[in-house]
Amino acid sequence: MQSSNYPKTVSYCRRRLLFSADLTSALQNSTLSLSRVFISPKIFTEIRPQFSPEKNMDQSFLMMLSNLLHLHNYLDPTTSPILSSTTLSSSAADATSTSAAPLLFFTLASVLSYLASHPPTKKTPKPSSASPSSSSAAVKPPSEFSVAAFRALSTEHIWAMEAPLRDAQWRSLYGLSYPVFTTVVEKLKPYITQSQLSLPSDYAVAMVLSRLSHGLTLKTLASRYSLEPYLISKITNMVTRLLATKLYPEFIKIPVSRRRLVETTQGFQELTSLPNMCGAIDTTPVKLHKISPNTLNSSMYTSKYGFPSVLLQVVADHKKIFWDVCVKAPGGFDDATHFRDSLLYNRLISGDIIWDKAVTVRGQPVRPYIVGDWCFPMLSFLLTPFSYNRTGTPAQNAFDEGLMKGRKSVEEAIGLLKGRWKILQDMNVGLNHAPQTIVACCVLHNLCQIAREPEPEIWKEPEENGQPPRVMENEKSCCYYGESLRQVLADDLYQRLSSR
C-alpha cells in the first residue's frame, strides 16, 4: 500500500514545488492567467502588489522559492504540469488542473500566511530642511522667562485678565502688582535708557525684582533668563543703585511738612494714646550669605546672633512706611553706635531738623519725637522705655506699654520688608553692593505700602536683648530733658487712663 502510493506522492510534490516558483514569477511579470490557477480577482489584486519588484520582496522568501524550484528541476526537469499546457492534451490538462487544486490551495494559503505575518512597513519620508513644519519642530520653544514671553504677558494678556488675578500673578513673579511695577519702570526708564542696556527697560527691572522678591542666586537667574552671570550682576547693581539714589528722595522722606506731621502724630496717638509721636526706630541685622575671609576686620560683621551681617536702621510711621533708612555699620556693631553714626542723629542733635508742631502737656512744651527700645540712648527727640521688664511705677509701666505699641509699627515694617523681599533673609550679593540692595528694597517696600499692597507673611525677628547704652558727654543735656519729658508724658497718660 505504501509502495503503490509513492509515485503519486512524488508527482504531487513536484507539481507543488513547480507551482510555487511559477506562481511567484508569473505574479511579478503579470503573465499568469487567473483562470489557469483558479485565483479570484479579489485575491489576485491583494497579493500581487506584494510581489512587485518595487516592493522589495523579502530576500529569505525569494531564497525559499528558488530552492524549491531547484529541487523540482532536480526531481523532474522535463515536467511543468501547470504552465506547459501547449504540450498536453485537453484531458490531461483537465486532470492536471484537478490534481493541482489541493496544491494550489496549499500554496496560496502559504503565501497569504507569509504576507499576514510580514506586513509591509511604511517608511515615513524624511522632511526636507526647507520644510516649514520641520523647521518649526526643530526650533526650541521659547522660555517662559524670555523677552518674547515677558512681552506677551505685559502687553497682550495683561489687560485681558481680571485685575485681582493679574495682580496676584505679578506679585508671585515680581513681588508687587502690575500698576506698582509700571510706576517703578516709568521712573527708572530714563536712567536705564541712558545706560544703553541691550535689554528692554521693563524686562531688566522685572528680572531684578524677581531676584529681590525670591532671593535667587546669580547662577539660577542666569540659567532662567539664558544670560551670563556677569550681565545679571551688572543689571542688578544698576537697577538697585537707581532705586537707592534716584527714587529714595521721592519715597523715603522725613515728615517735616505740617500736613504730613499732623497726620503721622495723630495716627500714632490713636495707637498709643501718647501725643506728638512721629516715628519709631529700630535696627535689624541683614544676614550675608557669605563674607570673604580677605575682608578687612571680617569678624566685625558677625552679629550677636552668630551670622555675618550688616546693620539696617529704619524709622517708620504708623502706616509702616519708612521715613529714614541707614545702612552704615557691620553686623557686630550695637544699635546705639550705629544710630550715633547716622545722618539722622547728626541732624537731630544739631537742630537741623525742626518739627514745627509743639503741644503742651502739663505746662511743658512737647515737640515731635521718635521712640525706640532700651538699646538706644535716651534723648530729647528719642524716648525709650523706663525698663524692659516693667518694674517701674504704674505710670511708668503705662508709658512703656504705650511706647511698645508705637514700636510695633516699625517691628512689623521690618518683618514685611524681609517677608516681601526675600533676598534680605540671606543676602547673596557682594559686600560692596549690599547697602544699596537693602536701601532699594526699602524703597520698594514704601511703594507697596503707599499703594496698599496686600501684606505678606511677616518675617519673625529674633528677640531683642542688650543693655542700655551709656550717655555720651555731648548728650547729657538732651538726656536730662528727655527723661523729664518722658515722666511728664507718663503721668499724663496714667491720669487719663485712670479717669476713664
Side-chain angles (χ1 to χ4, degrees):
M1 184 71 178
Q2 185 176 7
S3 60
S4 63
N5 292 334
Y6 178 74
K8 294 182 180 180
T9 303
V10 172
S11 177
Y12 176 78
C13 290
R14 288 176 183 173
R15 290 195 299 271
R16 186 182 69 174
L17 296 174
L18 178 61
F19 177 77
S20 298
D22 290 342
L23 175 63
T24 302
S25 176
L27 285 171
Q28 289 183 346
N29 299 322
S30 303
T31 60
L32 186 62
S33 171
L34 297 179
S35 61
R36 291 286 303 275
V37 294
F38 308 100
I39 304 177
S40 69
K42 182 177 180 181
I43 296 178
F44 183 85
T45 303
E46 292 178 354
I47 68 173
R48 183 179 178 277
Q50 305 302 328
F51 290 84
S52 59
E54 56 268 26
K55 285 294 183 177
N56 298 323
M57 188 189 300
D58 188 86
Q59 294 298 319
S60 62
F61 188 65
L62 289 175
M63 183 62 70
M64 179 189 71
L65 294 179
S66 176
N67 292 336
L68 290 174
L69 180 58
H70 283 297
L71 179 59
H72 162 73
N73 292 334
Y74 173 77
L75 294 174
D76 189 358
T78 61
T79 58
S80 181
I82 296 180
L83 296 178
S84 302
S85 58
T86 57
T87 61
L88 299 174
S89 63
S90 60
S91 60
D94 293 338
T96 303
S97 300
T98 304
S99 62
L103 170 65
L104 178 61
F105 176 82
F106 176 83
T107 305
L108 287 178
S110 300
V111 172
L112 294 176
S113 176
Y114 176 84
L115 294 178
S117 61
H118 294 76
T121 57
K122 296 182 179 180
K123 295 184 179 179
T124 303
K126 295 183 179 179
S128 61
S129 58
S131 173
S133 59
S134 63
S135 60
S136 61
V139 175
K140 190 177 181 180
S143 168
E144 60 178 322
F145 300 101
S146 64
V147 176
F150 175 79
R151 187 65 59 233
L153 175 65
S154 60
T155 58
E156 299 174 12
H157 305 307
I158 193 68
W159 298 115
M161 303 169 62
E162 294 291 335
L165 180 62
R166 173 200 67 195
D167 293 338
Q169 181 178 3
W170 278 76
R171 289 188 194 101
S172 65
L173 293 173
Y174 309 117
L176 35 72
S177 64
Y178 182 73
V180 180
F181 171 79
T182 56
T183 300
V184 176
V185 172
E186 289 173 0
K187 292 184 177 296
L188 295 184
K189 188 174 183 179
Y191 306 105
I192 297 177
T193 304
Q194 293 175 5
S195 67
Q196 298 181 346
L197 184 67
S198 59
L199 296 174
S201 301
D202 54 352
Y203 185 70
V205 172
M207 184 189 308
V208 175
L209 291 179
S210 67
R211 183 181 184 188
L212 299 180
S213 61
H214 296 284
L216 302 175
T217 63
L218 278 180
K219 184 177 180 181
T220 301
L221 212 61
S223 174
R224 173 176 292 186
Y225 288 92
S226 300
L227 296 173
E228 293 295 330
Y230 84 90
L231 184 58
I232 299 288
S233 178
K234 176 183 176 181
I235 296 173
T236 302
N237 294 337
M238 178 187 65
V239 173
T240 54
R241 185 183 70 254
L242 292 174
L243 287 169
T245 56
K246 303 301 181 181
L247 268 62
Y248 182 97
E250 182 177 356
F251 292 100
I252 300 180
K253 296 186 292 186
I254 298 176
V256 292
S257 66
R258 185 167 183 83
R259 182 191 62 82
R260 188 179 173 203
L261 196 57
V262 169
E263 178 187 356
T264 303
T265 54
Q266 288 180 351
F268 272 115
Q269 188 163 358
E270 292 176 1
L271 293 174
T272 66
S273 300
L274 293 172
N276 245 16
M277 184 187 300
C278 67
I281 188 172
D282 201 6
T283 301
T284 179
V286 179
K287 181 182 178 182
L288 299 173
H289 182 69
K290 64 179 179 179
I291 186 169
S292 173
N294 299 326
T295 303
L296 186 63
N297 298 324
S298 59
S299 60
M300 297 175 59
Y301 289 88
T302 304
S303 68
K304 54 189 174 183
Y305 305 108
F307 52 79
S309 64
V310 293
L311 282 182
L312 166 63
Q313 174 189 288
V314 292
V315 184
D317 65 10
H318 62 293
K319 294 181 179 179
K320 306 168 191 174
I321 297 175
F322 302 131
W323 57 256
D324 186 77
V325 175
C326 180
V327 187
K328 293 188 68 174
F333 278 41
D334 60 80
D335 295 356
T337 302
H338 191 201
F339 174 64
R340 290 177 174 131
D341 195 34
S342 67
L343 179 62
L344 177 65
Y345 171 84
N346 288 290
R347 293 187 65 184
L348 289 172
I349 200 74
S350 64
D352 183 42
I353 299 176
I354 300 178
W355 283 309
D356 189 18
K357 182 186 176 297
V359 296
T360 301
V361 179
R362 295 197 167 201
Q364 184 171 342
V366 178
R367 290 190 174 275
Y369 57 89
I370 59 178
V371 295
D373 59 21
W374 47 87
C375 295
F376 288 91
M378 179 68 188
L379 301 168
S380 60
F381 49 82
L382 173 56
L383 303 185
T384 59
F386 284 97
S387 62
Y388 65 90
N389 55 1
R390 298 186 181 183
T391 56
T393 65
Q396 292 175 346
N397 292 339
F399 175 84
D400 289 349
E401 184 177 350
L403 183 145
M404 297 309 291
K405 288 180 180 179
R407 279 199 70 255
K408 188 177 180 180
S409 63
V410 70
E411 290 178 341
E412 292 183 354
I414 292 174
L416 291 175
L417 172 72
K418 292 186 176 182
R420 182 177 280 126
W421 309 107
K422 294 181 176 58
I423 193 172
L424 301 181
Q425 299 175 13
D426 191 9
M427 289 280 289
N428 51 26
V429 301
L431 182 60
N432 293 335
H433 298 112
Q436 73 179 36
T437 304
I438 297 171
V439 175
C441 291
C442 292
V443 172
L444 294 171
H445 165 86
N446 276 10
L447 275 163
C448 293
Q449 291 300 113
I450 293 171
R452 297 183 179 181
E453 289 280 277
E455 296 182 350
E457 184 178 356
I458 294 179
W459 171 261
K460 297 298 182 181
E461 288 286 289
E463 290 294 331
E464 188 74 21
N465 53 52
Q467 296 297 323
R470 65 184 184 88
V471 179
M472 306 293 289
E473 189 65 29
N474 64 330
E475 297 173 345
K476 287 185 177 180
S477 59
C478 285
C479 180
Y480 175 78
Y481 184 83
E483 289 177 345
S484 174
L485 176 63
R486 182 176 61 180
Q487 188 62 53
V488 169
L489 291 173
D491 293 340
D492 176 72
L493 176 63
Y494 183 70
Q495 181 181 5
R496 285 188 283 115
L497 293 176
S498 300
S499 61
R500 290 180 180 177

